[in-house]
Structures are given as structure tokens and as C-alpha cells.
Amino acid sequence: MRKIRLEEPLSLRKITDSGQCFRPVELESGLYRFITGAHILYCEQHTETELRVSCGAREWEQVWRNYFDLDRNYRAVCAPFLGEKRRAETVSGTADTSGTEFVEASIRCGWGIRVLRQNPWEMLASFILSQRKSIPAIRTAIRLLCERFGRKKETAYEAAPVSLFPAPELLCNLSPEELLDCGLGYRAAYLRDAAEKTCDGTLEPARLASLEDAALYEALCGVHGVGKKIANCVMLFGYGRSERVPSDVWISRIVEKKFAGTDPFPDWENAGLLQQYVFYYALEHKAEFRQELSH
DNA sequence: CTCCAGGTGATGG
DNA sequence: CCATCACATGGA
């Protein structure tokens, strides 16, 4: 395992648990596995700014530096919402306190999270499957999908081969039953539609990457089963559109409870990163935000 | 057994 | 525009 020094803290555990990705796992105590495309990384947290990684320097620079979004300075991005800087800017005294304090607490709680730059097709497929499922159930469904249909790759770190995410071409030729068998339920037809549109060029990732936000959003919403939340997830996590804010049930509850119903996410170039801290905070404090029972 | 899950589409006001 | 409802099935 090779040593990697980082300019900012990075937490393998928080990233894995943050709800933006479903395949990273902690295999045994402290050993994490990440996969993107056909690349597999084994990784240990040495200190908060030092990792031990299984790949060579070249692969780290060409693949994983981008995947972990290491060229972005998160401290600079978050500075306006933290401590002294924020107080200095609110001398007028009119700014609200509960909301901004909540944002600050969320950033501190999730410090070390990176918003990963993941594979666009994998994000589209994964978030289509995610609707009306719990995060553990999403992980199970995606794992089954990969194990059944994904290409296998041997590594020096595990006895069993690792399953890559199945390419869209592989899913186009499956029978409906084969997809249902992964616990996809009614989402199987949605996934099929996404696979076909990705293969026939309608949603070709390399072309979509060059589109403006509005056009990309339109294209994604053209898939059956993709609405605004999933489209924003794919844009944020798959196409690096860091201003997009996927608004789901958790975010709605937070807006209601902490921001008096007013959208706290400004029309800002990095709003999606803030969203990720706030979302993680909610996951880590579920009891506080869980749905009130109706009566 | 019951209830909920990182929503969406169809339908009806 | 907003309010409901069905949708399949794994977790808790």
C-alpha cells in the first residue's frame, strides 16, 4: 500500500456512508474498496489527511484524484458558512441564526466528505433504482445487479473476483424477469428504458457531458421514471454539476424544521456540496428528522 | 404483521 | 399550478 498525502481532510467512512454512492464498502476493519469504471481501489485511512492506497501514482493521478474531487478546495467553498468569516459578514445583525447555524453544524459534522465524480451511466441506473427504497435496500439491489450481470475482475486483495457495474448494452438484452429478480420491482422497466436510451445515443454520456445544465436536465427527464430529484442526482454526482440540489424527503424535512420552509440553498455554484453536508447530517441524526406519525 | 423507504407518472381538480 | 394514488419489495 502506497502513501498518499492530501491537502485537506478526507474521510473514507463518511464518504462511504454519505448516501451519494452505494457500492463502496468497508471489507474488514479499516480496509475500504472503491470502484469506478473498470478501476478498483483498496484504501486505508492513516490520518485524516493521509491514506494508504493500492494503486500506482499514475492511476491515482489519472483516475482517483478526479473521482475524489481533490482539485476543489472545500475549505474555501465552505468558508462563507463557517464561524468567524460568517460572523464578520453579518454585522448588520439581520441575518437569521438557526438556519446558518444548522449549515455550519452540518459542515462540521460532515467534514471530510468529498462529492465524488462518479460514472454517469452508473449514477443514472443507481438513482433510478433508488426511488422509494431505503439506502440499505438500494445497496442490496445494486450489488445483485453487479454480481449477476457485471464483468468480473480479479484483484490481489480478495479471493473472489470483483463485479463491475454492468454496461447498458448488457441490460438491453435481458428479459424483464431477470431484472425483477434483483428486487427492482416496478423500477425494472425504468432501468430498461434508461439502458436503451443510453445505447441508442439519446443519452450518450460523452455527448450529454457537453450540454448546458438546462439541456442536460431535459435529456435526463426524458427517461421514464426520471423526475427532478433523480435528474439532479445524476447531474450532481455523475456530471459534476455542483450547483444542482437533489431535493428529497430528507431535504424537505430539513427545510421545514430548520429553515421555516424557505429554501436555504441559494442559487449558488456550489449549492450541491452544501446539500451533501446537510443530507449527511440528517442521516446521522435520523431520530430528529424522521417522519412524524400521522393520526 | 405493519410501516417506511434519497420518487415518479397518471389522473383529477 | 396542487392533491392523491398506485407502484413492488427489502429492511427494520
Side-chain angles (χ1 to χ4, degrees):
Chain A
M1 298 284 264
R2 209 166 54 82
K3 184 193 298 183
I4 296 282
R5 279 192 221 284
L6 304 163
E7 294 175 15
E8 295 189 294
L10 181 157
S11 169
L12 298 174
R13 180 185 62 78
K14 290 182 188 178
I15 290 170
T16 299
D17 292 343
S18 65
Q20 59 176 310
C21 51
F22 305 106
R23 284 200 301 158
V25 286
E26 184 178 12
L27 295 170
E28 54 195 67
S29 184
L31 181 65
Y32 288 83
R33 185 188 67 202
F34 291 83
I35 309 172
T36 188
H39 298 279
I40 303 169
L41 180 74
Y42 296 88
C43 198
E44 288 174 350
Q45 189 94 43
H46 196 65
T47 71
E48 63 175 16
T49 55
E50 197 176 306
L51 305 176
R52 295 284 189 277
V53 301
S54 62
C55 71
R58 187 187 188 82
E59 181 179 328
W60 179 262
E61 290 302 320
Q62 292 185 349
V63 177
W64 300 105
R65 166 173 289 281
N66 176 63
Y67 178 82
F68 288 111
D69 196 26
L70 296 184
D71 290 325
R72 191 195 305 273
N73 185 329
Y74 280 59
R75 187 171 295 285
V77 166
C78 294
F81 303 91
L82 292 178
E84 292 180 26
K85 175 92 188 266
R86 175 169 59 76
R87 273 191 283 279
E89 286 181 355
T90 54
V91 281
S92 64
T94 54
D96 70 306
T97 51
S98 67
T100 52
E101 279 173 14
F102 178 71
V103 170
E104 177 166 358
S106 298
I107 292 171
R108 295 195 189 287
C109 172
W111 197 241
I113 289 177
R114 315 292 296 184
V115 176
L116 303 176
R117 294 176 177 272
Q118 301 180 73
N119 177 273
W121 155 245
E122 179 175 337
M123 289 299 96
L124 178 60
S126 297
F127 280 99
I128 284 173
L129 304 192
S130 78
Q131 60 180 271
R132 296 303 290 174
K133 272 182 178 294
S134 65
I135 290 176
I138 297 165
R139 286 205 178 94
T140 301
I142 292 175
R143 184 172 48 75
L144 287 176
L145 195 67
C146 292
E147 287 174 356
R148 299 266 173 89
F149 310 118
R151 193 158 63 81
K152 306 296 182 288
K153 196 170 175 183
E154 299 284 349
T155 76
Y157 291 82
E158 293 177 84
V162 175
S163 299
L164 304 179
F165 198 88
E169 292 79 9
L170 288 168
L171 300 190
C172 285
N173 297 318
L174 298 177
S175 67
E177 298 77 36
E178 287 178 291
L179 283 179
L180 280 175
D181 234 19
C182 299
L184 306 191
Y186 64 90
R187 308 164 193 83
Y190 296 163
L191 181 58
R192 170 66 76 108
D193 188 38
E196 286 173 353
K197 287 190 164 75
T198 301
C199 291
D200 73 15
T202 317
L203 286 179
E204 209 281 304
R207 186 178 69 77
L208 294 198
S210 69
L211 296 180
E212 298 290 319
D213 281 1
L216 175 56
Y217 183 79
E218 286 284 308
L220 291 169
C221 288
V223 179
H224 203 46
V226 175
K228 57 182 181 165
K229 187 269 177 182
I230 291 175
N232 280 323
C233 283
V234 176
M235 290 179 74
L236 177 62
F237 302 129
Y239 287 95
R241 308 297 169 102
S242 51
E243 73 287 359
R244 304 305 288 204
V245 175
S247 186
D248 72 324
V249 289
W250 292 102
I251 295 292
S252 309
R253 290 172 198 165
I254 292 164
V255 170
E256 200 173 318
K257 288 200 166 188
K258 297 292 182 180
F259 300 92
T262 310
D263 179 9
F265 299 104
D267 189 12
W268 180 52
E269 58 177 344
N270 291 311
L273 306 192
L274 271 197
Q275 173 274 166
Q276 195 57 36
Y277 288 114
V278 167
F279 181 79
Y280 179 75
Y281 185 95
L283 287 189
E284 293 293 300
H285 301 78
K286 278 195 175 175
E288 191 182 340
F289 294 99
R290 199 177 296 284
Q291 177 84 308
E292 281 102 17
L293 303 170
S294 49
H295 37 251

